[in-house]
Amino acid sequence: MTQHDSRVSRETRPRDGLYDASEDEATQRAAFTGGDVPVAVYGLGKMGVPLAAVYADVTGNTVGVDVDPSVVETINGGQSPIKREPGLPDLVAEVVESGALEATTDGEGAAERAAVHVLMVPTLLTDDDEPDLSIMDDVVETVGTGLSPGDLVIVESTVPPRTTVDRFLPKLLETSGLSDGEFGVAACPERTVSGQALADVRGTHPKVVGGIDDESTRAAALIYDEISSNDVVTTTDATTAEATKVFEGVYRDVNIAIANQLAVFAEEMDIDINEAIDVANTQPFCDIHDPGPGVGGHCIPVYPHFLSGQFDADASLLSTARERNDDMAAYTASLTDAILESEGVEPDEARVLLLGMTYKANIAELRNTPSIPLARHLAEMGPTVYAVDPLIEDWSALDTVEPLTLEEAHDRSVDAVVLATPHDEFTTLEWDTFDAPILDGRAAIDTEEVDAPVYTIGGPWP
Ligand SMILES: NC(=O)C1=CN([C@@H]2O[C@H](COP(=O)(O)OP(=O)(O)OC[C@H]3O[C@@H](n4cnc5c(N)ncnc54)[C@H](O)[C@@H]3O)[C@@H](O)[C@H]2O)C=CC1
Ligand SMILES: CC(=O)N[C@@H]1[C@@H](OP(=O)(O)OP(=O)(O)OC[C@H]2O[C@@H](n3ccc(=O)[nH]c3=O)[C@H](O)[C@@H]2O)O[C@H](C(=O)O)[C@@H](O)[C@@H]1O
């Protein structure tokens, strides 16, 4: 019987889980790192694949669960479905080859055999900007069907504070038929940044751990002490751990909004916002972030909605910051329009080349990307909008742009170039070959080598 044989069930498991385990800590650690505490990681995306690979590397006995058969097939073929993550392809190949990691679409079977259940599936927003926990609810129910005494459920996905105790715990009790105190639940929020995910999972930052009870916290802290090389910071309870994660993200969204607000002031003052920010940040109490065309991804623009509308407290600061960040797409389009006007180009006859459609450099993620509203605002002003993004394969949802390859773009005559997302492919561009003014939305271009006028958001007019 292989370690991952789906016939491995609660009766044939080598031992019970770590929650309320009777042995001493050293024995528990040895069991966890020796593969006697099977792990299941639910959700094999940008976060789940690095996480499952590290769990497999540490335990030798991890199953990854995903609903996408192509993801499962890719991983079981020893390949990573997630690109541009240093070290990840090699680690996935290694742990799959050794049998330490296996992927499956069988969530129930994985739940049956696992003693540690790690939830890393999306927590997004509905069209009404309400938290959408439907995927988590499904996975929690699946885990509940296979939950055994001694098991530990770990919520790595970001959720509105109080979700673990108020929503997931009752569902686990109901679907498992177990009683309070028979299994553990802990919020251990993922703090990883795409592009350095493996390093982050392994310990770039301290790992925050907060359980529904002290024993959950203890068991989860033991696990992450083995997973991460950094400190494990335990919190009083699961809600505090959930809140710290959301607060980190809200801090970032509000501070980006401050940078964007100051950029608008700088434009009017005819100074360079980036110079002013660099100088202001020379003293330790100031950490002004970077202005840009907006805030994308399924995290930073989402997390404020995990607070506003979920609690009675007034959230006007958060909503004002969200509006400021979302307004930057239109602001960037208006800057482009002003550049065209300064060049004497009629908007209706203009051709604009938009570089970068995903939300962040080198990350293939379109959720909430500011480039989509930016392209829409540009098109509404009249110009034809061409777009280049080497990370996008399916352009079907991007109907306000005409996709080009980088090679095609070089051969196309355009009246302005807008750099919205500075993928690596764009850093070696010969910008003067476009023979057009450039709006560098992320202040990413080394203008020393560029003769064409280069504008920035919040920068002086060249
Ligand atoms: N992407 C990031 O930078 C970070 C994300 N997070 C949190 O992690 C969550 C996941 O993020 P990503 O990995 O980037 O998402 P993703 O969209 O890259 O991957 C999600 C994966 O979950 C799978 N999935 C969907 N429904 C499922 C189900 N019922 N059972 C099993 N698998 C299912 C999808 O097929 C996909 O492979 C986010 O919602 C966020 O809360 C936290 C820190 C960083
Ligand atoms: C507090 C924090 O830095 N959180 C990180 C963040 O990572 P994420 O991949 O969302 O990228 P990000 O660097 O925050 O960028 C989000 C968006 O904001 C924009 N952005 C970012 C920084 C800035 O100064 N100005 C700006 O406009 C980016 O272009 C992007 O569109 O969110 C992740 C998450 O929680 O998913 C989290 O794990 C990461 O540590």
Side-chain angles (χ1 to χ4, degrees):
M1 180 188 297
T2 69
Q3 284 174 335
H4 299 296
D5 189 307
S6 57
R7 293 193 298 280
V8 172
S9 62
R10 63 182 79 174
E11 289 68 39
T12 57
R13 279 193 321 188
R15 51 159 290 143
D16 281 344
L18 298 179
Y19 181 82
D20 208 19
S22 54
E23 311 95 338
D24 62 39
E25 185 173 297
T27 305
Q28 294 182 43
R29 286 176 186 273
F32 179 68
T33 55
D36 289 341
V37 182
V39 177
V41 176
Y42 303 79
L44 298 175
K46 296 186 294 299
M47 294 297 110
V49 172
L51 187 63
V54 171
Y55 261 103
D57 192 31
V58 170
T59 67
N61 188 358
T62 296
V63 171
V65 180
D66 205 290
V67 291
D68 184 340
S70 65
V71 165
V72 169
E73 186 183 348
T74 300
I75 291 171
N76 287 336
Q79 298 190 323
S80 169
I82 307 301
K83 306 303 178 197
R84 303 196 185 202
E85 285 293 358
L88 188 57
D90 290 347
L91 182 59
V92 169
E94 180 189 325
V95 291
V96 169
E97 171 65 26
S98 69
L101 176 65
E102 181 179 1
T104 179
T105 55
D106 177 12
E108 285 74 15
E112 180 76 20
R113 61 175 295 284
V116 176
H117 309 264
V118 184
L119 279 57
M120 193 77 257
V121 291
T123 49
L124 304 165
L125 294 177
T126 66
D127 292 342
D128 303 324
D129 280 342
E130 288 293 317
D132 176 2
L133 301 176
S134 55
I135 296 177
M136 283 291 279
D137 286 339
D138 288 348
V139 178
V140 166
E141 284 184 21
T142 298
V143 167
T145 62
L147 210 57
S148 299
D151 280 10
L152 181 68
V153 179
I154 290 174
V155 178
E156 278 249 356
S157 292
T158 311
V159 294
R162 298 205 59 80
T163 299
T164 295
V165 285
D166 291 348
R167 186 185 187 112
F168 297 158
L169 178 57
K171 206 178 281 288
L172 288 166
L173 289 166
E174 183 190 347
T175 49
S176 66
L178 298 178
S179 306
D180 257 329
E182 285 196 276
F183 62 90
V185 189
C188 309
E190 188 51 70
R191 304 174 102 182
T192 294
V193 176
S194 286
Q196 55 185 64
L198 213 45
D200 287 358
V201 171
R202 281 174 162 158
T204 307
H205 316 295
K207 182 68 180 178
V208 176
V209 166
I212 57 167
D213 52 29
D214 290 348
E215 176 55 16
S216 298
T217 301
R218 181 204 67 81
L222 181 152
I223 284 173
Y224 281 102
D225 193 47
E226 293 297 337
I227 293 288
S228 169
S229 60
N230 206 316
D231 297 336
V232 174
V233 177
T234 58
T235 58
T236 305
D237 50 32
T239 301
T240 304
E242 291 166 331
T244 60
K245 175 63 187 176
V246 174
F247 292 175
E248 286 172 11
V250 168
Y251 168 88
R252 192 160 177 80
D253 195 46
V254 169
N255 276 280
I256 295 168
I258 291 171
N260 286 326
Q261 175 67 72
L262 297 180
V264 176
F265 279 120
E267 192 86 36
E268 196 174 335
M269 299 170 190
D270 199 24
I271 64 169
D272 182 347
I273 185 62
N274 295 299
E275 176 191 1
I277 288 172
D278 288 346
V279 173
N281 287 349
T282 54
Q283 57 99 345
F285 311 113
C286 195
D287 178 23
I288 303 175
H289 290 23
D290 300 326
V295 176
H298 44 61
C299 304
I300 301 306
V302 168
Y303 297 166
H305 298 289
F306 284 5
L307 296 178
S308 54
Q310 304 311 305
F311 300 90
D312 295 334
D314 169 58
S316 51
L317 173 61
L318 309 188
S319 48
T320 300
R322 283 280 65 247
E323 286 163 23
R324 164 47 62 198
N325 288 335
D326 285 348
D327 286 348
M328 292 310 285
Y331 184 81
T332 306
S334 65
L335 274 183
T336 309
D337 198 45
I339 292 167
L340 291 168
E341 188 180 344
S342 71
E343 299 279 326
V345 179
E346 282 302 311
D348 290 340
E349 295 158 14
R351 292 144 307 174
V352 174
L353 175 62
L354 180 55
L355 299 178
M357 294 301 292
T358 65
Y359 87 96
K360 190 177 174 186
N362 305 316
I363 300 177
E365 179 64 72
L366 282 170
R367 284 192 186 110
N368 301 311
T369 178
S371 293
I372 291 179
L374 170 53
R376 187 179 65 250
H377 287 299
L378 284 170
E380 285 165 359
M381 289 176 179
T384 299
V385 183
Y386 304 120
V388 174
D389 193 313
L391 276 66
I392 293 182
E393 291 161 8
D394 177 6
W395 288 81
S396 57
L398 305 171
D399 53 4
T400 55
V401 298
E402 185 179 326
L404 297 177
T405 63
L406 209 42
E407 296 67 33
E408 289 167 338
H410 276 299
D411 297 336
R412 191 68 56 98
S413 171
V414 295
D415 302 296
V417 180
V418 179
L419 175 62
T421 309
H423 296 314
D424 287 349
E425 284 83 351
F426 301 146
T427 53
T428 55
L429 280 179
E430 294 293 328
W431 293 97
D432 286 324
T433 56
F434 295 113
D435 192 21
I438 300 155
L439 173 52
D440 177 3
R442 294 290 176 188
I445 297 174
D446 178 358
T447 55
E448 290 293 309
E449 313 293 319
V450 182
D451 295 330
V454 178
Y455 301 77
T456 56
I457 293 172
W461 283 68

